[in-house]
Amino acid sequence: MRVDFASLRAELTLWRAQGKSFPLWWRDDDAVAPTAALDRLAVLSHETGVPVHLAIIPSEATPDLARALDDSFVPVVHGWAHANNAPEGQKKAEFGPGRPKAEIEADLKAGLARMEDLFGARLARMFVPPWNRLDNGALPLLQSLGYESVSTYLPRKSVDAVPGLEQINTHIDPIFWRGTRGLVPPEAILEQTVALLRDRREGRSDNAEPLGYLTHHLVHDADIWEFSRQFILELCEGPVTLFRQNGKDRT
């Protein structure tokens, strides 16, 4: 695959000329067990040097997965069961509006407990809601239960979703979900990326928020894998710092 990265390279040149840098991170969703695709994700992480924050579905996660992950992965909490609890006709959500608070709290608590049991101090207490949708009423619950950050999609509006709960979103998704479910045309991804970087460089958006690349290793085709490899390597040539939310020893 040949991709013309000229526009991205030109934007990164401006960053370097102005003595600026931006933080970069990578999130991948829906892991439950070791697979060949997960092995390929690990290889790509090692090749690029960028750690993967792996959003794992707690109710389905296996002990084999915990044993398989090396230090290139940062395990984070991906809902509870990745179940759609939205009323008919509404967009899919596991923790959307209208769900009883007691049910939400029970699932949030169960998800964190399951992941801590599997990963211990390796777990980063980040909550990733399935489909990137979360009722605002659940945010105080996340904070009170011990989650430290929440991650959805698009640039954040404030540093903290609620006091004590940092918002760390993703911004670039290479999958054409509403169409072929293959790779979004690379020129469209690059146009979006350059616009995001320009807004940061010119002060219209928060450059303290890590710029997030979002992947789903279980559904990648060859083009998505190859574009991701080239794209991440190109970004890493720019003036970047790599973000990693580490777990902590809480004993």
Side-chain angles (χ1 to χ4, degrees):
M1 171 186 290
R2 291 189 178 182
V3 180
D4 183 359
F5 287 102
S7 61
L8 177 59
R9 292 170 181 170
E11 177 63 26
L12 294 177
T13 296
L14 292 174
W15 280 78
R16 287 189 290 270
Q18 295 175 20
K20 297 181 177 181
S21 65
F22 60 92
L24 175 69
W25 80 300
W26 182 0
R27 196 187 96 202
D28 185 278
D29 290 1
D30 300 345
V32 295
T35 62
L38 188 67
D39 290 342
R40 188 167 182 177
L41 189 67
V43 169
L44 187 54
S45 176
H46 285 291
E47 180 180 356
T48 60
V50 181
V52 178
H53 293 71
L54 191 65
I56 298 166
I57 302 171
S59 71
E60 300 180 33
T62 66
D64 285 345
L65 177 65
R67 288 189 287 268
L69 297 187
D70 64 20
D71 288 342
S72 61
F73 291 105
V74 181
V76 302
V77 183
H78 195 26
W80 166 241
H82 209 298
N84 179 24
N85 295 313
E88 186 176 354
Q90 294 189 15
K91 291 182 177 180
K92 292 180 179 180
E94 186 171 22
F95 296 91
R99 226 187 138 194
K101 180 179 177 181
E103 286 185 12
I104 291 177
E105 184 172 7
D107 282 356
L108 294 176
K109 187 180 295 185
L112 185 58
R114 173 63 175 160
M115 292 287 285
E116 287 186 322
D117 181 58
L118 285 172
F119 296 99
R122 295 175 60 193
L123 178 70
R125 290 189 169 196
M126 171 184 284
F127 184 74
V128 177
W131 298 286
N132 289 301
R133 298 190 183 103
L134 180 68
D135 180 44
N136 287 338
L139 295 171
L141 286 175
L142 287 170
Q143 191 278 330
S144 68
L145 291 171
Y147 289 93
E148 297 170 354
S149 62
V150 60
S151 180
T152 57
Y153 191 72
L154 298 178
R156 67 188 181 190
K157 297 179 180 178
S158 60
V159 174
D160 289 339
V162 294
L165 185 72
E166 188 175 5
Q167 187 88 43
I168 306 172
N169 287 348
T170 54
H171 310 89
I172 304 156
D173 185 338
I175 300 178
F176 190 7
W177 293 105
R178 296 182 181 180
T180 64
R181 297 178 73 88
L183 179 66
V184 172
E187 58 272 18
I189 300 174
L190 293 173
E191 181 180 359
Q192 176 197 12
T193 304
V194 169
L196 287 165
L197 288 172
R198 186 185 304 116
D199 282 347
R200 288 166 173 255
R201 181 171 53 81
E202 296 179 352
R204 289 186 294 274
S205 63
D206 182 6
N207 189 43
E209 180 183 23
L211 182 71
Y213 189 56
L214 173 59
T215 56
H216 290 74
H217 67 282
L218 292 172
V219 299
H220 287 190
D221 62 18
D223 284 345
I224 295 170
W225 282 116
E226 179 56 19
F227 175 83
S228 294
R229 185 186 72 82
Q230 294 185 32
F231 181 65
I232 294 170
L233 287 171
E234 287 286 340
L235 285 173
C236 288
E237 287 295 317
V240 301
T241 55
L242 298 181
F243 170 79
R244 179 184 182 115
Q245 182 167 326
N246 290 315
K248 299 176 182 177
D249 185 356
R250 300 178 178 85
T251 58

